[in-house]
Amino acid sequence: MKKRQITIKDIAKSLNVAPSTVSRALADHPDISKETKELVLAFAKEHKYKPNALALSLRTSNTKTIGVILPQIVHFFFSSVLSGIEDEAEKAGYRVIISQSNEVFEREVRGAYTLQESRVCGVLASVAKTTTSFSHFQELIDSGVPVVFFDRICTGILTDRVVVDDYAGVQTAVEYLINTGCRRIAFYGSESHMPISRNRRMGYEDALRKHGIFVDKSLMTICNNYKDALAITPSMLNLPEPPDAFFAVNDETALGILNVVKAKGLKVPDQVSICGFTNNAIAEISNPQLTSVDQHGYEMGATSMRLLLDHIEGRRESDQIVNKIIKTNLVVRETTR
Amino acid sequence: MKKRQITIKDIAKSLNVAPSTVSRALADHPDISKETKELVLAFAKEHKYKPNALALSLRTSNTKTIGVILPQIVHFFFSSVLSGIEDEAEKAGYRVIISQSNEVFEREVRGAYTLQESRVCGVLASVAKTTTSFSHFQELIDSGVPVVFFDRICTGILTDRVVVDDYAGVQTAVEYLINTGCRRIAFYGSESHMPISRNRRMGYEDALRKHGIFVDKSLMTICNNYKDALAITPSMLNLPEPPDAFFAVNDETALGILNVVKAKGLKVPDQVSICGFTNNAIAEISNPQLTSVDQHGYEMGATSMRLLLDHIEGRRESDQIVNKIIKTNLVVRETTR
DNA sequence: TTGTACGCGTTATCAA
DNA sequence: TTGATAACGCGTACAA
């Protein structure tokens, strides 16, 4: 039951004028007489005329649309970023098409392809964990579609990036733990090849070294979710020299640790400090409230979008690459001294 | 530096054939000779030809795009729904444009308008709290754009709806509390005029009445976030006859209650039972783990999308209205007996 | 087997 | 002040 929407032609026919006249009247062109304008405007309003964005885009070669490729919408961090992107896009009069990869490489590629078919003006992307080949992104850039990577960037590709200062964020947090008296600090990280994972690990190691603390591999583990944290933490606590603090690369993991530690009867933060990363909504809600490194997802989204718009609207040399770094900040709550 | 993408015309010119020949070759039309086809396909592949979705949409009057209007992307429930929508849309070959209202009426209206300009094939919407006039949705429907409301529906408008069985969900949960020995059950709800709020309240009241328990207004309060729960709960506990159980319309609120109750030194669930709604990721992570009513956001999104597709692709009489109800289920964890 | 012409909805250009 | 025309990229009915 597809009802065709009313067009300029329809208005023209009904009013016995030329389509071009209607177009000009609607655009408030100075050449059009007051009477014709009023006539057209009244008719358009009555029949709820809405310009066809497709036809407009085709004519102007400008879709006023940007595409977002991200791993998972449901994650707090990514949905925060998306929210920032959408708010900023709407302010600038751009539409937003989303494509979630669900961490599946093939779907990410398909998404990039579809966005290009849609002739988006630009793409904001955060790559899937399984992605190791980046030609789908390179193809976008080669076709003249600006791409800005956020968070999970793509080192192989020369383009704008917006990242959080993972390294400094972790280092600051770990130093805080050290300064509050912790000496055996465990690190729960991701094994991935992605820069963010490496940066966080380095931030941890360097903080220890800076304070002359031995980097003990037995305190470092691959663990980045709640369930695994429940499974792994008991053995950590049973070490001959157990940790007196934990740093986790996300808040779910930190809460897993917290729950195990509490169940063991250890006092938080008196005997064990815990610090997470992201500053998820859950950090504030946990008990005791979780100390965490705020990743400012919303701001990252808004910043990425603004960067992309600079490109799209020609406010910047296109061959100039910008790397924005979003400052993290440590939100000290109750799981640390 | 907007580089124009390669078109069928470009290919035609380079290969000295007519555009229509290229078009047919790309579509694997039987009339085209093998040689020409191979020639065209090879050239297209080499130059990374991608069909222009705009031109195609304009020709076929079919954008293969759907629009989503929702209050806030960052909420766990809504991002779950969105994820379900996107997955189902991608399966069916549809693009997804998002528009978040941030609970602001004017922005919701603008979103509906923009989606109509984009000539979306259909719209999935959940209305803002501040929305009391619905003409922007009616206008979509009047223009032949099918609309499916999810969760926060619009009673004034005759169209498909997908809701969770709030009433039954709450009733079941409250009955569970009653059956496990609770008698003074507090209710933390929303004051809104929206059906979901009313349904939940009725589910609560009816469960009590069914079991011959007096509906005590002093146990019912307007409270639907963590902070307010921290503020309000102490006075609840100081009532002459304090509650022995709490039901909250979302999980953040339930956790606020939980934290206050624990701080008071009351045993959960021995002295006080607590039940939330949504079954947020945080429910599993809290300590003790929160009993909650699972709202199945992802499934709601997927179901809504499928319903919309039935409409769009003509698999259903367009004047027939469908109300889908997503069954909730009570996930009993550790905050209830 | 391939080419020509048209239309989808719009606006800029030129002509009247 | 208004109208006719062409073009954006594509597919298809019709002609060759």
Side-chain angles (χ1 to χ4, degrees):
Chain A
M1 202 76 341
K2 174 133 286 176
K3 226 190 304 174
R4 208 175 50 83
Q5 305 223 16
I6 188 174
T7 72
I8 283 190
K9 277 187 189 172
D10 297 331
I11 302 181
K13 212 167 282 176
S14 301
L15 260 41
N16 270 321
V17 292
S20 49
T21 305
V22 176
S23 171
R24 280 181 281 228
L26 290 170
D28 202 24
H29 192 101
D31 282 358
I32 301 290
S33 74
K34 206 161 197 165
E35 303 90 57
T36 323
K37 250 182 220 176
E38 278 167 7
L39 204 67
V40 169
L41 254 47
F43 191 93
K45 186 160 194 180
E46 190 191 334
H47 292 79
K48 318 235 162 104
Y49 167 77
K50 306 225 173 37
N52 185 324
L54 270 72
L56 241 141
S57 299
L58 189 60
R59 235 198 89 77
T60 60
S61 313
N62 183 357
T63 56
K64 286 287 213 170
T65 303
I66 66 113
V68 179
I69 296 178
L70 39 64
Q72 304 246 58
I73 297 169
V74 281
H75 282 19
F76 176 81
F77 173 69
F78 286 120
S79 63
S80 304
V81 175
L82 187 54
S83 180
I85 291 172
E86 209 277 336
D87 281 356
E88 208 64 26
E90 125 97 27
K91 257 192 254 167
Y94 280 73
R95 281 171 282 272
V96 177
I97 299 184
I98 49 166
S99 170
Q100 68 178 336
S101 67
N102 282 322
E103 307 284 13
V104 176
F105 172 71
E106 288 74 21
R107 203 164 149 189
E108 185 178 279
V109 174
R110 236 181 306 146
Y113 191 91
T114 308
L115 291 180
Q116 212 171 337
E117 286 189 341
S118 303
R119 298 296 189 266
V120 291
C121 304
V123 168
L124 296 170
S126 203
V127 308
K129 279 180 190 162
T130 50
T131 298
T132 50
S133 144
F134 307 107
S135 52
H136 50 306
F137 290 124
Q138 190 59 55
E139 210 168 296
L140 278 165
I141 295 172
D142 291 345
S143 316
V145 180
V147 175
V148 174
F149 286 108
F150 60 90
D151 196 51
R152 304 220 205 136
I153 62 172
C154 211
T155 43
I157 294 202
L158 282 178
T159 188
D160 289 355
R161 299 169 188 160
V162 179
V163 292
V164 96
D165 58 343
D166 294 281
Y167 177 85
V170 175
Q171 197 186 31
T172 307
V174 173
E175 281 203 72
Y176 182 85
L177 292 171
I178 296 171
N179 291 336
T180 54
C182 304
R183 285 297 171 272
R184 304 240 338 128
I185 304 170
F187 180 83
Y188 285 39
S190 304
E191 79 177 313
S192 139
H193 53 281
M194 291 187 298
I196 49 170
S197 308
R198 223 182 29 242
N199 288 341
R200 292 179 192 178
R201 189 154 26 81
M202 293 313 293
Y204 162 78
E205 293 186 10
D206 288 355
L208 295 187
R209 289 198 192 98
K210 185 172 162 191
H211 290 262
I213 298 176
F214 172 63
V215 177
D216 183 348
K217 293 286 176 194
S218 67
L219 291 181
M220 298 175 68
T221 182
I222 305 295
C223 174
N224 56 11
N225 64 63
Y226 182 75
K227 287 234 165 79
D228 289 352
L230 293 186
I232 288 172
T233 308
S235 61
M236 276 283 177
L237 294 173
N238 285 332
L239 247 38
E241 285 184 86
D244 55 6
F246 291 83
F247 179 86
V249 289
N250 63 47
D251 292 338
E252 293 82 6
T253 307
L255 288 190
I257 298 168
L258 175 62
N259 285 341
V260 173
V261 169
K262 285 202 297 189
K264 267 267 180 182
L266 294 164
K267 293 274 174 244
V268 176
D270 300 336
Q271 297 172 279
V272 175
S273 290
I274 299 170
C275 179
F277 198 96
T278 302
N279 198 28
N280 213 318
I282 58 176
E284 236 180 327
I285 285 175
S286 81
N287 183 8
Q289 288 185 16
L290 183 68
T291 292
S292 184
V293 178
D294 194 332
Q295 219 178 338
H296 301 298
Y298 183 92
E299 197 195 325
M300 178 178 281
T303 302
S304 307
M305 185 67 215
R306 282 194 294 265
L307 213 58
L308 185 62
L309 284 173
D310 284 349
H311 244 227
I312 293 172
E313 306 194 330
R315 284 192 293 273
R316 207 151 38 78
E317 325 295 327
S318 65
D319 54 349
Q320 196 183 329
I321 286 164
V322 174
N323 284 322
K324 282 252 184 189
I325 295 182
I326 307 286
K327 289 259 167 294
T328 57
N329 62 296
L330 181 66
V331 182
V332 176
R333 296 204 181 84
E334 304 166 353
T335 56
T336 49
R337 295 174 228 165
Chain B
M1 204 73 346
K2 176 133 282 177
K3 227 190 304 178
R4 208 176 52 82
Q5 306 225 15
I6 187 173
T7 72
I8 282 190
K9 275 188 192 171
D10 297 330
I11 302 182
K13 210 167 285 177
S14 302
L15 262 41
N16 271 321
V17 292
S20 53
T21 305
V22 176
S23 171
R24 279 182 280 231
L26 290 170
D28 202 23
H29 193 100
D31 281 359
I32 301 291
S33 74
K34 206 160 199 170
E35 303 90 58
T36 325
K37 250 181 219 174
E38 279 167 5
L39 204 67
V40 169
L41 255 47
F43 191 93
K45 187 159 194 182
E46 190 190 333
H47 292 79
K48 319 240 163 101
Y49 168 77
K50 307 228 172 34
N52 184 326
L54 269 74
L56 241 144
S57 298
L58 190 59
R59 228 196 91 77
T60 61
S61 311
N62 184 358
T63 56
K64 286 289 214 168
T65 303
I66 66 112
V68 178
I69 297 177
L70 39 64
Q72 304 246 57
I73 296 169
V74 282
H75 282 20
F76 175 81
F77 173 70
F78 285 120
S79 63
S80 305
V81 175
L82 186 54
S83 180
I85 291 172
E86 209 276 337
D87 280 355
E88 208 65 27
E90 125 99 25
K91 257 193 253 167
Y94 280 74
R95 281 170 282 272
V96 177
I97 299 184
I98 49 167
S99 169
Q100 69 178 337
S101 67
N102 281 324
E103 306 284 12
V104 176
F105 172 71
E106 288 74 20
R107 203 164 149 190
E108 184 178 280
V109 174
R110 235 180 308 144
Y113 191 92
T114 307
L115 291 180
Q116 213 171 337
E117 287 189 341
S118 304
R119 298 295 189 267
V120 291
C121 303
V123 168
L124 297 171
S126 203
V127 308
K129 280 180 189 160
T130 51
T131 298
T132 50
S133 145
F134 307 107
S135 52
H136 50 306
F137 291 124
Q138 190 60 55
E139 209 169 296
L140 278 166
I141 295 172
D142 291 345
S143 316
V145 180
V147 176
V148 174
F149 286 109
F150 60 89
D151 195 53
R152 305 222 205 134
I153 62 172
C154 210
T155 44
I157 294 201
L158 284 177
T159 188
D160 290 354
R161 298 168 190 162
V162 179
V163 291
V164 96
D165 58 344
D166 294 282
Y167 177 85
V170 175
Q171 198 186 31
T172 306
V174 174
E175 280 202 71
Y176 181 86
L177 293 171
I178 296 171
N179 291 336
T180 54
C182 305
R183 285 297 170 273
R184 303 239 341 126
I185 303 170
F187 180 83
Y188 284 40
S190 305
E191 81 179 312
S192 137
H193 53 280
M194 290 187 299
I196 49 169
S197 308
R198 223 181 31 242
N199 288 341
R200 292 178 192 180
R201 188 154 27 80
M202 294 313 293
Y204 163 78
E205 294 186 10
D206 287 356
L208 295 187
R209 290 197 192 98
K210 185 172 162 192
H211 290 263
I213 299 175
F214 172 63
V215 177
D216 183 350
K217 293 286 176 195
S218 67
L219 292 181
M220 298 175 69
T221 182
I222 305 295
C223 174
N224 57 12
N225 63 63
Y226 182 75
K227 288 235 164 81
D228 288 352
L230 293 186
I232 288 172
T233 308
S235 61
M236 277 282 177
L237 294 173
N238 285 333
L239 247 38
E241 285 185 85
D244 54 7
F246 291 84
F247 179 87
V249 290
N250 62 48
D251 292 336
E252 292 81 6
T253 308
L255 288 191
I257 297 168
L258 175 60
N259 285 342
V260 173
V261 169
K262 285 202 296 188
K264 267 267 180 182
L266 294 163
K267 292 272 174 249
V268 176
D270 300 336
Q271 295 172 281
V272 175
S273 289
I274 300 170
C275 179
F277 199 96
T278 302
N279 198 28
N280 213 317
I282 58 176
E284 237 179 325
I285 284 176
S286 81
N287 183 8
Q289 288 186 15
L290 183 68
T291 293
S292 184
V293 178
D294 194 332
Q295 219 177 338
H296 301 298
Y298 183 91
E299 196 195 326
M300 178 178 280
T303 302
S304 306
M305 185 66 216
R306 281 194 295 265
L307 213 59
L308 185 63
L309 283 174
D310 284 349
H311 244 228
I312 292 172
E313 306 196 330
R315 284 191 293 272
R316 208 152 39 77
E317 326 294 326
S318 65
D319 55 348
Q320 195 183 328
I321 286 164
V322 174
N323 284 322
K324 282 252 183 189
I325 296 183
I326 306 286
K327 289 261 168 292
T328 56
N329 63 295
L330 181 65
V331 181
V332 176
R333 296 204 182 84
E334 305 166 352
T335 56
T336 51
R337 293 173 230 167

